[in-house]
Amino acid sequence: MSNLQRQIPDVKELAALMKFSLPTLRRRQARLAKAADLWDLRKIAKRRTPAAAFDYVDGAAGREITADRAREVFDSVELLPRILHGTAHSDLSTTIAGGNSALPFGIAPTGFTRFMQSEGEIGGSRAAEKAGIPFSLSTMGTRSIEEVASAAPNARKWFQLYLWKDREKSRALVERAALAGFDTLLVTVDTPVAGQRLRDVRNGMKIPPELSLKTVLDASYRPEWWFNFLTTDSLKFASLSNTSSDLPTIINSMFDSSLDFDDLRWIRDLWPGKLFVKGVLTVEDARKSVAAGADGLVVSNHGGRQLDRAPIAFEALGQVRQEVGPEMEIILDSGIMSGADIVASLCAGADFVLIGRAYLYGLMAGGQQGVERAIELLAKEVEVNMQLMGAGSIRELTPELIRVRAGRTASPALKR
């Protein structure tokens, strides 16, 4: 202690250090500001959302092996820094599906969205509009094509189509989307039947939700969610009618499990804009989709929510890219939880990325503001990673800037 020379604290210097934050009435804003990454938003979402709704987002099919492996694969990717590369600013803007996007990612189509948080697709589309990125509306969405178009008139809007057994209803949906200004169609082809999502079975997920003593007690710990649920219009799939059942029953009764490439050609003839086939994981399916008229491909395993033990989208990406060549646009969807995941995907051959769970964690954490915070966090992570890697633009993210290390280890954040 003899090395220290003591003195009486200077009161003025001490006073300058004492800066206490005053309580604020903007609790949501303050709560979201504390989130440092998407995993923090997930924690907030879990606290504020009933178990059935949170697990619908957080869960996957079967033993959730595919979802866990996807996280392991992303965590195994190393981003290679380039020193003294003179990158003072990185341009995050890009083009996809014939239009511009301020960021290299957009919002994926999600079903049952207002069950997670009552702002639902309206909050998501407005956040996307504000950020200058595309918003995708699902056939299983809880706001209609026209409602989303009206809520975010200046947003780039994409529509995701599940082909119905009733072809005329499918035609009507496609025509409505085109008329409402949706410029890109995502045709999902990996859902001939519903995947076995065991968390939903255990939680008794139904549409509209049924209130039991268990669900009422669970929701009572989340008063804001409960209040919003009771004081807004009834929850339903906006594109469907007379739906009151568990989700697998709805999917298996409404959607066409016999969908083939002839049907894809039929949709291609109907749709005037860009058409992407969503759910491609093999070279053969990529080749057939291109031959059927696809403008682009979405490499996706549905976030592990359909076929458990399916290939990992990130690992399939390179093979699909090699098959279709550099000119065909490829979007990666499934498992994105950070800007590093986005950068890795772009380096591995994707032109663009879609966020699903990441978007919904933000929505559950704080409605539109939560989605804006999720986008902000991801954008900053992408920017910082690009600067550290010496990449001044999205075009400079090439396979030479990543490598996959041997011996994968699951992320602690994913372990249940």
Side-chain angles (χ1 to χ4, degrees):
M1 301 298 289
S2 59
N3 293 329
L4 298 178
Q5 185 175 353
R6 305 285 184 180
Q7 65 181 31
I8 298 174
D10 186 307
V11 176
K12 291 183 179 180
E13 291 183 358
L14 185 61
L17 297 175
M18 299 177 66
K19 297 180 180 179
F20 300 105
S21 299
L22 296 175
T24 176
L25 296 177
R26 298 180 177 179
R27 297 177 61 188
R28 174 184 287 186
Q29 184 177 341
R31 180 172 67 245
L32 295 172
K34 293 180 180 178
D37 62 8
L38 265 295
W39 295 106
D40 285 348
L41 285 181
R42 178 182 178 273
K43 291 176 184 177
I44 297 171
K46 188 173 184 178
R47 290 198 304 266
R48 304 188 64 80
T49 311
F54 180 83
D55 282 347
Y56 177 76
V57 173
D58 200 59
R63 289 172 51 203
E64 305 189 1
I65 292 171
T66 300
D68 286 350
R69 285 178 178 170
R71 186 69 260 144
E72 292 177 18
V73 169
F74 272 125
D75 287 348
S76 73
V77 178
E78 293 180 343
L79 308 179
L80 305 182
R82 292 185 293 180
I83 64 171
L84 303 177
H85 207 72
T87 309
H89 172 72
S90 292
D91 181 5
L92 274 57
S93 66
T94 190
T95 59
I96 188 69
N100 298 321
S101 177
L103 300 169
F105 61 91
I107 292 179
T110 61
F112 214 11
T113 313
R114 287 177 54 227
F115 185 51
M116 292 76 182
Q117 208 275 351
S118 292
E119 294 181 43
E121 290 88 357
I122 302 302
S125 61
R126 285 177 173 167
E129 179 182 52
K130 188 173 181 180
I133 64 175
F135 174 84
S136 308
L137 175 65
S138 171
T139 298
M140 306 291 284
T142 48
R143 287 297 180 197
S144 71
I145 291 168
E146 293 76 15
E147 286 174 319
V148 171
S150 176
N154 297 317
R156 279 199 72 190
K157 294 173 285 291
W158 298 354
F159 184 68
Q160 176 271 329
L161 178 71
Y162 288 113
L163 193 67
W164 294 4
K165 292 177 180 178
D166 187 332
R167 290 294 192 269
E168 288 308 307
K169 287 186 177 179
S170 296
R171 179 194 295 271
L173 274 180
V174 170
E175 291 175 347
R176 283 170 56 194
L179 186 64
F182 287 68
D183 62 65
T184 298
L185 187 69
L186 309 176
V187 183
T188 297
V189 295
D190 60 4
T191 314
V193 296
Q196 294 180 299
R197 302 171 193 172
L198 302 186
R199 292 204 216 182
D200 295 348
V201 173
R202 295 177 181 123
N203 288 324
M205 274 283 292
K206 289 190 176 182
I207 177 91
E210 294 182 353
L211 299 181
S212 64
L213 178 60
K214 178 182 176 181
T215 57
V216 170
L217 287 174
D218 186 45
S220 68
Y221 295 102
R222 288 92 174 179
E224 182 181 4
W225 184 95
W226 188 241
F227 178 75
N228 289 338
F229 179 77
L230 291 176
T231 58
T232 54
D233 55 308
S234 61
L235 184 64
K236 61 184 181 299
F237 290 128
S239 295
L240 310 181
S241 59
N242 300 321
T243 52
S244 181
S245 186
D246 60 278
L247 298 180
T249 298
I250 293 173
I251 291 173
N252 295 338
S253 64
M254 297 291 293
F255 299 152
D256 192 348
S257 60
S258 65
L259 177 68
D260 60 24
F261 283 94
D262 287 336
D263 295 297
L264 184 59
R265 294 183 185 93
W266 177 73
I267 298 169
R268 171 70 282 177
D269 290 339
L270 283 178
W271 180 252
K274 296 288 186 178
L275 186 150
F276 280 63
V277 177
K278 184 176 183 292
V280 174
L281 288 170
T282 68
V283 166
E284 181 183 3
D285 285 342
R287 186 186 310 124
K288 289 181 178 179
S289 297
V290 173
D295 296 303
L297 307 173
V298 182
V299 175
S300 169
N301 59 29
H302 216 106
R305 297 164 64 78
Q306 280 299 105
L307 177 63
D308 202 15
R309 302 175 189 262
I312 304 306
F314 183 86
E315 292 182 325
L317 175 61
Q319 297 174 350
V320 172
R321 171 56 75 195
Q322 186 174 7
E323 171 63 26
V324 301
E327 300 305 317
M328 174 64 62
E329 289 189 320
I330 297 178
I331 297 173
L332 183 92
D333 171 64
S334 294
I336 297 293
M337 278 294 290
S338 71
D341 295 342
I342 294 171
V343 169
S345 301
L346 298 172
C347 287
D351 296 294
F352 199 71
V353 166
L354 290 176
I355 57 169
R357 284 188 179 93
Y359 145 59
L360 291 175
Y361 290 142
L363 185 70
M364 290 187 290
Q368 179 180 335
Q369 286 179 283
V371 180
E372 290 174 3
R373 181 60 174 157
I375 294 170
E376 178 186 25
L377 288 168
L378 289 173
K380 187 61 178 178
E381 289 173 354
V382 170
E383 181 182 31
V384 170
N385 278 286
M386 287 178 63
Q387 288 177 315
L388 291 172
M389 295 166 71
S393 69
I394 299 302
R395 293 186 301 276
E396 294 180 33
L397 295 175
T398 61
E400 292 75 25
L401 291 182
I402 60 171
R403 69 183 175 205
V404 179
R405 60 180 173 80
R408 299 171 186 157
T409 303
S411 168
L414 194 71
K415 291 183 180 295
R416 289 173 291 278

